[in-house]
Amino acid sequence: MIDLKDLQNKIFENKIKKGFNTTNVEREFCLIQTELGEAIRAYYKKLPDLGEEVADIFIYLLALAKMLDVDIEKELLNKVAKNERREYKTINGVMTRTKEG
């Protein structure tokens, strides 16, 4: 099993070591958007680096959470539990939440 906090710290330490952004939150959001674009491009073109592009997104998200002092492990677990409590049904062909978690 992966230790998310250790991985997050390792990623952030690498950003510091290599001189990447560690302070500009707005820039990090933009970089995540760029990585999303690269991933969708790899998906549509069936490129072999799709997995790497998805990993890049995750790396940037972990770094952003660190920059914002968000306990991403706790937030992920809380969100998964909340989503499990929600109820949905299809209304007019659209999956619609009918009960909040």
Side-chain angles (χ1 to χ4, degrees):
M1 193 72 162
I2 198 167
D3 185 316
L4 206 48
K5 288 181 184 181
D6 283 346
L7 180 61
Q8 187 177 29
N9 287 330
K10 183 176 182 176
I11 287 166
F12 204 75
E13 288 168 13
N14 186 60
K15 285 176 74 74
I16 292 168
K17 180 179 165 185
K18 303 282 173 85
F20 290 113
N21 177 49
T22 58
T23 58
N24 186 325
V25 171
E26 293 84 0
R27 178 174 168 82
E28 205 72 3
F29 275 113
C30 290
L31 292 168
I32 291 167
Q33 186 174 12
T34 299
E35 292 300 332
L36 284 167
E38 290 177 8
I40 193 74
R41 178 180 166 273
Y43 171 75
Y44 280 126
K45 293 190 173 212
K46 298 181 180 9
L47 298 175
D49 63 339
L50 175 60
E52 185 176 335
E53 296 302 342
V54 172
D56 282 342
I57 295 164
F58 191 57
I59 287 169
Y60 275 97
L61 287 172
L62 287 175
L64 177 64
K66 178 86 170 171
M67 292 167 70
L68 295 171
D69 198 29
V70 169
D71 182 340
I72 194 66
E73 187 172 17
K74 180 184 92 175
E75 295 299 334
L76 280 168
L77 292 172
N78 287 343
K79 186 62 178 182
V80 167
K82 183 175 184 177
N83 286 346
E84 288 175 345
R85 292 188 304 271
R86 288 178 169 169
E87 293 179 11
Y88 297 85
K89 75 177 188 177
T90 303
I91 301 174
N92 297 325
V94 177
M95 187 64 73
T96 306
R97 185 172 42 213
T98 58
K99 179 182 172 193
E100 183 59 41

